[in-house]
Amino acid sequence: KAGVTQTPRYLIKTRGQQVTLSCSPISGHRSVSWYQQTPGQGLQFLFEYFSETQRNKGNFPGRFSGRQFSNSRSEMNVSTLELGDSALYLCASSSGRGLAGISSTDTQYFGPGTRLTVL
Amino acid sequence: AQKVTQAQTEISVVEKEDVTLDCVYETRDTTYYLFWYKQPPSGELVFLIRRNSFDEQNEISGRYSWNFQKSTSSFNFTITASQVVDSAVYFCALSEFIYQAGTALIFGKGTTLSVSS
């Protein structure tokens, strides 16, 4: 079974631009979560999508948004880029149902990440 | 508030040494899940183990073992006879039980393990 794929793997942008990152989950998985990893803040949860609906959101400004398509692929968008947005963005896939339908029991499987550099 | 603490920032060992990575967590809930992930230099987070709060049975998988103790809110990870390929950053994470809500993992800051030959 193919794992989680993320494109592009590397991206360089300048301040003020916007960027779109893509994530394809493991086949059959319906939940996609996004995380930001920086040396200072570590790994932080951005948001989770399940069946094209945002189900959970972390503490990030509105410049960070996402969406999920009917095939479970997800995109995240960052508008008006700031230097502090430079990070590794990781996408995670899970079945979305977990044990007895409880999503928080799911195991999340991560992709290789997209490394974004903002100049 | 939920919190995961990995007090060890960096650990360096020589091949074949045993090494234990510490993880202490805080949560208000009685039902929760704990995870360990490994992040090699390539950047991808690799899932290692999941444990729920009702299952304190310790587990051994090859050279890996985990010690979960609710009384001390700890979920430690031991690598026996370490190898150079074990060099990576190891993350402990917590997920609370939220019925019909989304999943969000709370990660510790990670422990960088360097194994030299």
Side-chain angles (χ1 to χ4, degrees):
Chain A
K1 212 179 214 184
V4 179
T5 58
Q6 291 188 245
T7 56
R9 293 293 310 278
Y10 301 91
L11 209 47
I12 299 176
K13 292 286 187 179
T14 56
R15 277 180 300 174
Q17 287 187 309
Q18 76 166 18
V19 66
T20 299
L21 312 180
S22 180
C23 172
S24 292
I26 292 169
S27 178
H29 282 189
R30 297 169 63 189
S31 169
V32 173
S33 299
W34 289 90
Y35 293 81
Q36 181 196 64
Q37 185 177 24
T38 59
Q41 299 300 315
L43 278 155
Q44 293 184 287
F45 171 74
L46 280 157
F47 30 65
E48 185 212 5
Y49 286 86
F50 177 78
S51 291
E52 302 178 64
T53 300
Q54 187 181 85
R55 195 162 58 172
N56 202 2
K57 189 177 188 304
N59 188 26
F60 276 82
R63 299 185 298 108
F64 291 82
S65 62
R67 60 177 176 169
Q68 187 179 34
F69 302 95
S70 58
N71 61 359
S72 295
R73 189 178 70 85
S74 175
E75 289 181 347
M76 70 162 277
N77 184 276
V78 188
S79 62
T80 320
L81 284 165
E82 300 177 359
L83 295 178
D85 296 333
S86 293
L88 179 66
Y89 289 88
L90 291 161
C91 164
S93 143
S94 67
S95 67
R97 289 299 188 191
L99 299 175
I102 309 302
S103 64
S104 58
T105 67
D106 261 346
T107 294
Q108 295 186 33
Y109 297 92
F110 286 79
T114 293
R115 185 162 296 281
L116 171 65
T117 302
V118 182
L119 302 175
Chain B
Q2 301 173 75
K3 187 178 179 183
V4 176
T5 302
Q6 294 179 253
Q8 305 150 308
T9 305
E10 294 183 22
I11 299 177
S12 294
V13 299
V14 178
E15 252 190 331
K16 297 184 184 176
E17 281 187 39
D18 297 348
V19 57
T20 295
L21 309 182
D22 298 333
C23 173
V24 174
Y25 61 91
E26 294 175 31
T27 178
R28 297 163 297 182
D29 287 350
T30 56
T31 304
Y32 50 88
Y33 288 77
L34 295 163
F35 302 80
W36 274 97
Y37 285 87
K38 170 183 177 180
Q39 187 175 41
S42 60
E44 181 173 345
L45 280 169
V46 178
F47 166 71
L48 295 175
I49 192 172
R50 180 183 77 190
R51 260 292 179 267
N52 72 59
S53 54
F54 294 108
D55 181 5
E56 285 193 76
Q57 184 176 7
N58 294 320
E59 180 168 333
I60 298 174
S61 176
R63 296 185 299 107
Y64 297 166
S65 62
W66 290 270
N67 184 359
F68 176 32
Q69 292 191 339
K70 282 181 73 172
S71 60
T72 56
S73 296
S74 65
F75 185 40
N76 298 336
F77 171 39
T78 298
I79 302 175
T80 302
S82 59
Q83 300 175 2
V84 173
V85 293
D86 295 327
S87 297
V89 182
Y90 290 83
F91 291 95
C92 180
L94 168 70
S95 174
E96 286 189 332
F97 183 92
I98 307 171
Y99 183 67
Q100 289 187 338
T103 302
L105 290 174
I106 307 300
F107 284 91
K109 292 293 188 185
T111 297
T112 300
L113 173 64
S114 298
V115 182
S116 57
S117 56

